[in-house]
């Protein structure tokens, strides 16, 4: 009978940086002890890394001992082949002998030969050893040599797991690939699917009907990108169709324990993940886009379409050509103070003979439609649509400015503005946040003037407790403001109130 492996803590850790609180983990272990699940994959054993990884990114010995004492099921942890060598085993594996049963190794097909050496060393230490080989949808077209080497596993490996890295395989693909793998190795086979196209269940059922020895799933489908097959869905199916005994009260308890994480991180498939799965685009890249507050849903879809078409960008425009410099430039952000003090700002603008304004976002553009000086609109992310909503074709009278070509997320410009659109040749004052509207606005301002640059509508967020999005935007803007100061040798000035200490607040009213 097929063995079921739950990898919630390992795969779900991509959303939590591998931190799970003790209450959640204890509830998880208690439920797993009762449910018909054979293996629990707890996380990674890693060498130290520069980026933060939490408890289950390293699986410390103390944590494994606690779980081992309280868990009746077989346990495994994963190694990343790309960052692990046999010389690391004295630190990574020797201390956990007897605490876990299996070591699974995440493997790029290009590194299969090297992985065999690593796996044999794992096996020699007394562990079961499993191969998690990525990109199964590309094996026959891009990695045909991999399949001919699978016989090397027959003498020592306990599992060869086929990983649907892109979440795009179909039941027909599973059937075909399982047959090819069976023809080349006697090693037990597993299947690890992602749910981009919501085929996780049917693909897993197909694999089980083909008598694969292992299948993976996670509670609530928690996992990288679009997530995995929901364990509760698999168990419900097996209960109804295969007579598997499932305690649904216990299953409900563990679902309840993980529901707050689902509400917080909101993993699961959506159109970008669907396009990624269908077109074999890596989960990590799309996950980075989806969880980035800068990138709109439409811009992600556009970027995926570009990737599908092997295009670096979908449009290119003339570069900005500054024929004359302005004495001053005013950058308008999206904060309420840009509207609250609009009459004073308009008076300030009116008394200046050679000034331009830049809308870093078109959020407040409607409040300034009656002014008749040069206007620039930054188009990043969803700003094209915001421009249409707040200004529209009939009242558009400015120039749209794009980041340098090519743009990671592609290009979206309203049709009515295409003849009045240019792109920057480069962003030179900072190496960070190059797709931020504020970065592009300040680079444009520095291109347009050697004189004074002012901002309004960069209010900052009040209160001691900020949302994750507010903290992210605050830190981003602080970094950009400091880069501006370093490049220009002076602090950026705000004419309206701001909580950013990185801005020098100088009241607009002193100028009028």
């Amino acid at each position: 009978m097929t063995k079921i492996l739950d990898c919630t803590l390992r795969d779900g850790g991509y959303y939590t940086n591998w931190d799970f609180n003790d209450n959640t983990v204890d509830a998880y272990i208690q439920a797993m002890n009762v449910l018909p699940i054979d293996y629990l994959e707890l996380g990674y054993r890693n060498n130290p890394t520069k980026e933060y990884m939490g408890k289950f990114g390293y699986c410390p010995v103390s944590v494994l001992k606690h779980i081992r004492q309280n868990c009746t099921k077989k346990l495994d942890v994963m190694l990343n082949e790309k960052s692990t060598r046999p010389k690391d085993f004295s630190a990574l594996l020797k201390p956990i002998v007897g605490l876990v049963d299996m070591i699974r190794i995440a493997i790029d097909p290009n590194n299969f030969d090297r992985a065999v050496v690593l796996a044999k060393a794992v096996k020699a230490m007394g562990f079961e050893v499993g191969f998690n080989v990525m990109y199964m949808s590309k094996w026959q077209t891009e990695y045909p040599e991999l399949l001919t080497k699978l016989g090397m596993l027959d003498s020592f490996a306990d599992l060869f797991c086929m990983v649907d890295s892109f979440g795009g395989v179909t039941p027909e693909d599973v059937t075909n690939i399982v047959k090819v793998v069976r023809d080349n190795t006697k090693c037990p086979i597993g299947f690890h699917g992602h749910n981009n196209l919501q085929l996780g269940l049917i693909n897993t059922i197909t694999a089980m009907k083909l008598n694969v020895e292992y299948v993976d799933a996670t509670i609530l489908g928690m996992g990288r990108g679009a997530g995995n097959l929901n364990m509760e869905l698999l168990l419900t199916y097996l209960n109804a169709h295969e007579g598997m005994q499932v305690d649904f009260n216990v299953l409900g308890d563990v679902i309840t324990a993980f529901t707050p994480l689902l509400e917080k991180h909101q993993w699961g498939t959506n159109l970008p993940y669907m396009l990624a799965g269908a077109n074999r685009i890596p989960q990590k890249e799309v996950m980075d886009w989806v969880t980035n507050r800068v990138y709109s849903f439409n811009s992600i879809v556009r970027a995926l379409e570009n990737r599908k078409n092997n295009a670096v960008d979908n449009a290119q425009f003339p570069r900005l050509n500054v024929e004359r410099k302005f004495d001053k430039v005013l950058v308008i952000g999206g904060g309420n103070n840009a509207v609250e003090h609009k009459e004073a700002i308009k008076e300030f603008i009116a008394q200046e003979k050679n000034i331009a304004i830049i809308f870093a976002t078109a959020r407040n553009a409607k409040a300034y439609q009656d002014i008749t000086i040069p206007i620039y609109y930054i188009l990043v992310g969803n700003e094209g649509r915001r421009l249409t909503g707040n200004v529209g074709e009939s009242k558009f009278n400015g120039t749209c400015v794009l980041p340098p070509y090519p743009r990671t997320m592609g290009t979206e410009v309203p049709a009515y503005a295409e003849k009045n659109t240019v792109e920057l040749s480069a962003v030179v004052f900072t190496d960070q946040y190059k797709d931020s509207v504020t970065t592009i606005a300040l680079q444009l301002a520095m291109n347009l003037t050697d004189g004074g640059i002012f901002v309004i509508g960069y209010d900052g967020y009040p209160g001691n407790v900020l949302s994750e999005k507010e903290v992210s935007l605050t830190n981003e803007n602080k970094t950009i403001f400091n880069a501006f100061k370093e490049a220009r040798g002076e602090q950026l000035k705000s004419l309206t109130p701001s909580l950013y200490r990185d801005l020098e607040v100088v009241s607009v009213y002193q100028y009028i």
Side-chain angles (χ1 to χ4, degrees):
M1 185 174 179
T2 302
K3 293 180 173 65
I4 299 175
L5 186 150
D6 183 281
C7 51
T8 304
L9 300 183
R10 197 271 303 169
D11 217 342
Y14 285 99
Y15 277 99
T16 68
N17 285 325
W18 293 276
D19 273 329
F20 295 88
N21 68 54
D22 291 343
N23 290 336
T24 300
V25 174
D26 287 344
Y28 170 77
I29 296 300
Q30 291 170 14
M32 294 299 108
N33 285 341
V34 176
L35 294 171
I37 293 165
D38 301 282
Y39 284 78
L40 309 185
E41 189 161 77
L42 300 176
Y44 289 97
R45 287 285 284 177
N46 268 312
N47 291 311
T49 59
K50 292 182 179 179
E51 66 274 10
Y52 176 81
M53 297 181 74
K55 183 186 301 184
F56 292 95
Y58 290 99
C59 289
V61 171
S62 59
V63 172
L64 295 180
K65 282 183 177 179
H66 172 76
I67 293 176
R68 180 72 284 168
Q69 290 167 359
N70 292 280
C71 184
T72 61
K73 300 302 176 73
K74 285 194 168 186
L75 304 177
D76 88 82
V77 294
M78 181 170 280
L79 298 177
N80 274 314
E81 186 280 331
K82 66 180 180 181
S83 59
T84 309
R85 299 293 175 266
K87 65 181 176 61
D88 301 321
F89 286 0
S90 60
L92 294 180
L93 296 189
K94 188 175 179 180
I96 65 171
V97 171
L99 297 179
V100 302
D101 302 278
M102 178 186 285
I103 305 296
R104 291 213 294 184
I105 306 172
I107 302 165
D108 183 310
N110 286 317
N111 300 329
F112 184 79
D113 291 343
R114 196 169 66 188
V116 168
V117 175
L118 192 71
K120 286 183 176 180
V122 170
K123 186 70 173 182
M125 296 183 72
F127 297 102
E128 298 173 43
V129 62
F131 282 59
N132 261 42
V133 182
M134 298 179 282
Y135 316 136
M136 66 176 284
S137 58
K138 293 185 175 183
W139 289 351
Q140 292 173 288
T141 55
E142 297 186 24
Y143 306 102
E145 289 187 5
L146 167 71
L147 298 170
T148 65
K149 296 178 179 179
L150 296 184
M152 298 167 65
L153 307 181
D154 292 352
S155 62
F156 72 97
D158 300 285
L159 167 63
F160 176 79
C161 188
M162 309 181 302
V163 181
D164 179 18
S165 302
F166 309 113
V169 301
T170 65
E172 292 76 14
D173 295 327
V174 173
T175 300
N176 180 34
I177 296 170
V178 168
K179 181 181 185 302
V180 174
V181 172
R182 287 275 190 225
D183 288 343
N184 285 278
T185 183
K186 298 177 182 178
C187 179
I189 299 174
F191 175 71
H192 176 100
H194 287 108
N195 214 26
N196 297 58
L197 299 181
Q198 294 192 332
L199 296 175
L201 179 62
I202 187 60
N203 284 337
T204 300
I205 291 171
T206 299
M208 295 180 77
K209 289 184 176 180
L210 293 168
N211 298 314
V212 302
E213 285 81 1
Y214 293 81
V215 294
D216 294 5
T218 61
I219 300 300
L220 291 171
M222 188 179 192
R224 191 177 204 170
N228 306 97
L229 167 62
N230 292 44
M231 180 64 77
E232 61 274 15
L233 181 60
L234 176 62
L235 295 183
T236 299
Y237 172 87
L238 294 175
N239 170 263
H241 295 275
E242 304 294 338
M244 177 176 281
Q245 295 300 306
V246 177
D247 188 327
F248 287 99
N249 290 319
V250 171
L251 186 57
D253 289 342
V254 71
I255 290 171
T256 299
F258 279 85
T259 296
L261 290 174
L262 175 60
E263 293 172 347
K264 178 180 180 180
H265 297 287
Q266 298 184 344
W267 61 82
T269 197
N270 54 33
L271 183 56
Y273 283 128
M274 293 173 192
L275 288 169
N279 294 287
R280 301 178 180 179
I281 296 171
Q283 296 269 10
K284 180 184 184 301
E285 192 168 351
V286 182
M287 184 175 174
D288 289 343
W289 293 347
V290 170
T291 56
N292 187 318
R293 58 152 207 91
V294 172
Y295 299 146
S296 68
F297 188 87
N298 293 310
S299 65
I300 295 171
V301 171
R302 186 169 56 251
L304 290 169
E305 281 291 305
N306 288 342
R307 288 287 297 274
K308 174 184 175 182
N309 297 325
N310 294 317
V312 294
D313 202 340
N314 57 289
Q316 189 170 9
F317 288 84
R319 290 185 175 183
L320 173 72
N321 180 27
V322 181
E323 296 180 351
R324 70 181 181 93
K325 294 269 188 172
F326 297 94
D327 294 334
K328 292 183 176 68
V329 171
L330 176 65
V331 176
I332 302 179
N336 290 333
N337 279 325
V339 176
E340 181 73 20
H341 301 279
K342 66 179 181 180
E343 297 306 325
I345 296 298
K346 289 179 182 179
E347 191 173 342
F348 170 80
I349 292 171
Q351 70 185 21
E352 296 292 335
K353 295 181 180 180
N354 187 28
I355 188 172
I357 63 173
I358 299 170
F359 285 100
T361 169
R363 185 176 285 115
N364 290 322
K366 188 178 293 186
Y368 292 87
Q369 286 181 356
D370 55 341
I371 61 176
T372 57
I373 63 170
I375 301 173
Y376 296 86
Y377 299 96
I378 303 302
L379 295 189
V380 173
N382 210 32
E383 283 300 320
R385 292 170 184 250
R386 182 171 282 145
L387 177 65
T388 297
N390 291 340
V391 177
E393 181 175 2
S394 62
K395 295 186 178 181
F396 174 76
N397 64 343
T399 300
C400 292
V401 180
L402 297 164
Y405 177 91
R407 289 160 282 278
T408 301
M409 306 311 293
T411 303
E412 181 179 23
V413 177
Y416 59 82
E418 288 181 353
K419 293 182 179 180
N420 297 92
T421 296
V422 295
E423 57 189 45
L424 295 180
S425 58
V427 173
V428 297
F429 81 98
T430 180
D431 291 327
Q432 300 186 64
Y433 302 113
K434 288 193 169 185
D435 50 8
S436 163
V437 292
T438 301
T439 297
I440 303 306
L442 291 179
Q443 181 64 66
L444 173 61
M446 287 187 277
N447 290 355
L448 293 177
T449 185
D450 297 319
I453 298 175
F454 302 88
V455 300
I456 63 172
Y458 282 88
D459 302 355
Y461 296 101
N464 295 322
V465 180
L466 304 183
S467 70
E468 186 175 347
K469 180 178 179 180
E470 290 169 343
V471 170
S472 175
L473 180 56
T474 297
N475 291 335
E476 176 182 307
N477 283 340
K478 288 173 65 176
T479 301
I480 296 168
F481 296 153
N482 285 325
F484 175 92
K485 179 180 179 181
E486 186 173 338
R488 292 271 292 195
E490 61 180 358
Q491 200 167 16
L492 188 60
K493 294 179 174 63
S494 175
L495 298 179
T496 55
S498 176
L499 296 176
Y500 285 105
R501 295 181 179 179
D502 312 275
L503 297 176
E504 180 185 351
V505 178
V506 288
S507 172
V508 64
Y509 295 97
Q510 70 178 323
Y511 292 102
I512 61 174

